[in-house]
Amino acid sequence: MTKAIRVHVHGGPEVMKWEDVPTPEPGPGEALVKQEAVGLNYIDVYFRTGLYKAPAMPLIIGQEGAGTVTAVGPNVTHVAVGDRVAYAGPIGGYATDRVIPADRLVKLPEAIPFQTAAAMMLQGMTAQYLLRRTYPVKSGDTIVVHAAAGGVGLIMCQWAKHLGATVIGVVSSQQKAELARAHGATHTVIGAAGLPAEVKRITGGAMVPVVYDSVGKDTFAHSIDSLAPLGLMVSYGNASGPVPPVDISMLATKGSLFLTRPTLATYTAKRADLEHAAADLFDVVAKGAVKIQVNQTFALKDAAAAHIALESRKTTGSTVLIP
Ligand code: NDP
């Protein structure tokens, strides 16, 4: 037997149960991974509450982890028993041991500890595609990053600075503002209500070419009002709740804007894209341009406490769960 956190009914953090589960066996194309660290991500909350549809119940939530391959099924070519590996993506992460399609695993460089890997694969590859592909940030750009002191946020601030951009980070407290500035944000705004006015002041009226908004319902309108003509609204999360349906004629009146709702799953669906995103992330981390801040750790069996901290905006940077 192994242990996992399972959700039998959607609901609050209390629906997560630490249970015995049969040791999973890898099928064709799959690997069994003994996990040393599991990443905590906001998407875990969406699957727990039912905002995102569960593939089946009971559900083992969790989409990020790192550990060692302990068995492989037939036709596995990407990894072998004994490899140190990490992943972001397929659900089933809150477990001591899990099976996963082997082509979703990447080999972990020796220099990257398991906890760092579990903290950065999902949030870091998200920052990678947002900054390098959704809107390729250029030196000299001024950009807006919401939840700038969070997991994705601290990585975005550092990486965008490394690319030569000026980051305006949006946060909810003075303490988080200081943290975001210490990680590369040049400007910080507390609360999104004043964002358009602050962006106008900072940019001398030009506004910004892109806003990365992971907060959703509470911030969408303020983000739209911070964009320059032809600007790109990147709505990539719903920490405050989903964005209500949008009247697309608004994009015309606000300056021929672009709107996208991207996911890491789409951007890493092809194996080559996954490998490229991971390599790009490993590179900026190895260079020291991006430092992964594991600011909270919890035992995996205490995942409910971790969710409470995340949802009550008490965490900063990344959080890791230890099986
Ligand atoms: P964070 O560490 O950023 O935690 C969420 C943060 O959102 C909070 O710390 C808080 O920061 C802010 N927030 C604003 N309003 C609320 C609210 N009402 N309730 C709770 N938090 C709120 O989490 P992650 O780094 O794991 O994820 C950040 C976001 O990015 C999430 O929305 C997630 O879904 C999204 N995401 C999207 C991906 C994609 O590909 N589309 C991939 C990865 C993440 P503050 O207190 O400063 O406001």
Side-chain angles (χ1 to χ4, degrees):
M1 295 294 265
T2 57
K3 287 275 189 183
I5 291 278
R6 292 205 295 184
V7 170
H8 295 262
V9 288
H10 293 302
E14 71 285 352
V15 301
M16 291 186 284
K17 307 290 183 201
W18 181 238
E19 296 178 337
D20 289 328
V21 292
T23 306
E25 285 186 21
E30 290 180 337
L32 177 64
V33 178
K34 180 181 177 338
Q35 303 202 104
E36 301 296 337
V38 170
L40 176 76
N41 290 284
Y42 223 92
I43 195 167
D44 305 342
V45 173
Y46 308 145
F47 275 105
R48 191 204 72 219
T49 60
L51 176 66
Y52 289 2
K53 192 172 160 21
M57 297 294 256
L59 178 67
I60 299 176
I61 60 172
Q63 307 211 228
E64 181 179 42
T68 306
V69 175
T70 50
V72 292
N75 307 323
V76 165
T77 51
H78 294 99
V79 293
V81 170
D83 282 349
R84 298 172 78 248
V85 293
Y87 66 89
I91 202 159
Y94 284 19
T96 55
D97 304 78
R98 71 161 300 180
V99 290
I100 186 165
D103 67 359
R104 293 288 95 194
L105 292 170
V106 292
K107 286 191 197 163
L108 201 53
E110 280 300 325
I112 298 181
F114 288 124
Q115 288 201 21
T116 306
M120 77 178 193
M121 291 302 290
L122 198 152
Q123 295 167 349
M125 290 200 293
T126 298
Q128 193 276 344
Y129 85 75
L130 291 172
L131 296 170
R132 308 297 306 274
R133 293 179 65 196
T134 306
Y135 173 91
V137 168
K138 303 177 298 300
S139 182
D141 281 342
T142 298
I143 69 172
V144 169
V145 173
H146 282 271
V152 177
L154 284 187
I155 299 173
M156 294 274 284
C157 288
Q158 297 174 79
W159 204 329
K161 184 182 183 191
H162 177 62
L163 294 170
T166 297
V167 175
I168 303 172
V170 187
V171 291
S172 64
S173 70
Q174 195 59 47
Q175 188 204 359
K176 288 186 178 184
E178 282 163 23
L179 193 62
R181 287 200 299 273
H183 289 82
T186 304
H187 308 276
T188 44
V189 179
I190 298 178
L195 182 65
E198 274 299 283
V199 169
K200 189 170 186 182
R201 184 185 66 75
I202 291 164
T203 61
M207 311 309 276
V208 291
V210 64
V211 175
Y212 296 104
D213 187 337
S214 60
V215 174
K217 180 166 69 70
D218 290 354
T219 51
F220 185 84
H222 306 306
S223 296
I224 289 280
D225 286 339
S226 302
L227 285 166
L230 304 183
L232 175 62
M233 171 67 185
V234 184
S235 176
Y236 74 99
N238 350 264
S240 68
V243 178
V246 171
D247 172 6
I248 62 166
S249 66
M250 169 274 292
L251 299 172
T253 54
K254 299 281 183 179
S256 302
L257 301 179
F258 295 81
L259 168 63
T260 185
R261 184 23 179 123
T263 71
L264 177 64
T266 313
Y267 278 87
T268 55
K270 292 190 189 123
R271 175 77 197 172
D273 288 336
L274 171 65
E275 286 179 358
H276 180 77
D280 210 4
L281 174 63
F282 294 160
D283 179 55
V284 289
V285 170
K287 283 199 285 224
V290 172
K291 295 191 173 60
I292 304 301
Q293 299 298 321
V294 182
N295 289 355
Q296 301 78 210
T297 56
F298 293 81
L300 178 57
K301 68 177 169 49
D302 298 330
H307 277 222
I308 290 167
L310 182 63
E311 288 177 88
S312 57
R313 303 161 85 154
K314 294 213 169 67
T315 65
T316 58
S318 302
T319 302
V320 165
L321 308 172
I322 307 300

